[in-house]
Amino acid sequence: LLASEWLAAELDAIGIPAPSTGRMQDFGGGMRNVLGEIPGREPGEAIVIGAHLDHIGPGNGIYNGADDNASGTGAILEIAKAFVASGKQPRRRVVFVWFDGEERGLLGSAAFVKNIPFADETVVMINLDMVGMLKRDTLKIYGATTGGAVLDGWLEAAKEGSGLLLEKSEIVNSNSDHANFY
């Protein structure tokens, strides 16, 4: 609960509004997702950018802490700050969500997809899990080929000038929050 309170305060401080349903999405057992959004210029479509905020697993070899998943939490905060700093409103609604209960069985993302706090169609879900577990010059993107040419174009444009190599994989593992969106 302390992590969710801290995230809520950070989102307020950087000027990311909460959805009309509220900043927190409680779903039982003392667990809750943390939400923020930037309204889009055109209604109808949303992009969800998520990571899990819990990192205490069942003790079965999970990499607790910085790599899993403070890295995803921090990455989303930086993305949110960049959106605010740009001063531009995106075409689609951008929803930032930090899922609770991932380590206990993807509980937060399951609760989110059962009770999506907006009417727009989710056209892309970007899950940032274990961002710190990568090679310094390479970014591995699972499910990169599932979005067709449009997603590939976005990835190529985003990497331009970064010095990163993209390792695109068609594999979509079922062990993290994106699985519930499928």
Side-chain angles (χ1 to χ4, degrees):
L1 293 179
L2 290 176
S4 60
E5 293 295 333
W6 179 84
L7 279 169
E10 286 294 305
L11 291 170
D12 290 341
I14 63 176
I16 298 292
S20 60
T21 56
R23 177 76 70 207
M24 304 293 183
Q25 184 184 44
D26 294 306
F27 58 93
M31 292 181 283
R32 58 188 177 185
N33 296 327
V34 181
L35 309 168
E37 73 171 40
I38 299 175
R41 293 187 313 272
E42 299 173 14
E45 296 181 336
I47 294 172
V48 175
I49 303 174
H52 65 96
L53 62 88
D54 66 318
H55 71 271
I56 309 282
N60 60 358
I62 291 172
Y63 300 101
N64 295 328
D67 285 328
D68 189 16
N69 193 27
S71 59
T73 295
I76 295 178
L77 277 173
E78 290 303 313
I79 293 167
K81 287 177 188 176
F83 266 102
V84 171
S86 78
K88 296 178 182 176
Q89 185 179 21
R91 186 176 126 210
R92 295 172 175 93
R93 177 192 309 251
V94 177
V95 178
F96 304 101
V97 57
W98 288 266
F99 302 110
D100 202 354
E102 191 261 7
E103 302 290 4
R104 297 178 193 175
L106 313 181
L107 302 177
S109 56
F112 182 85
V113 298
K114 285 179 186 167
N115 191 21
I116 294 176
F118 51 86
D120 297 339
E121 177 188 359
T122 301
V123 294
V124 174
M125 190 285 172
I126 301 168
N127 183 32
L128 300 170
D129 190 357
M130 296 185 72
V131 176
M133 297 290 289
L134 48 94
K135 302 174 196 171
R136 294 279 178 214
D137 64 346
T138 304
L139 181 61
K140 185 160 190 171
I141 304 171
Y142 291 97
T145 60
T146 63
V150 172
L151 182 57
D152 190 55
W154 290 352
L155 293 170
E156 290 299 324
K159 85 162 190 170
E160 204 165 295
S162 70
L164 286 173
L165 301 171
L166 293 184
E167 193 176 313
K168 300 176 210 171
S169 171
E170 66 181 44
I171 296 170
V172 180
N173 294 326
S174 61
N175 64 344
S176 195
D177 290 304
H178 57 270
N180 282 315
F181 285 80
Y182 281 94

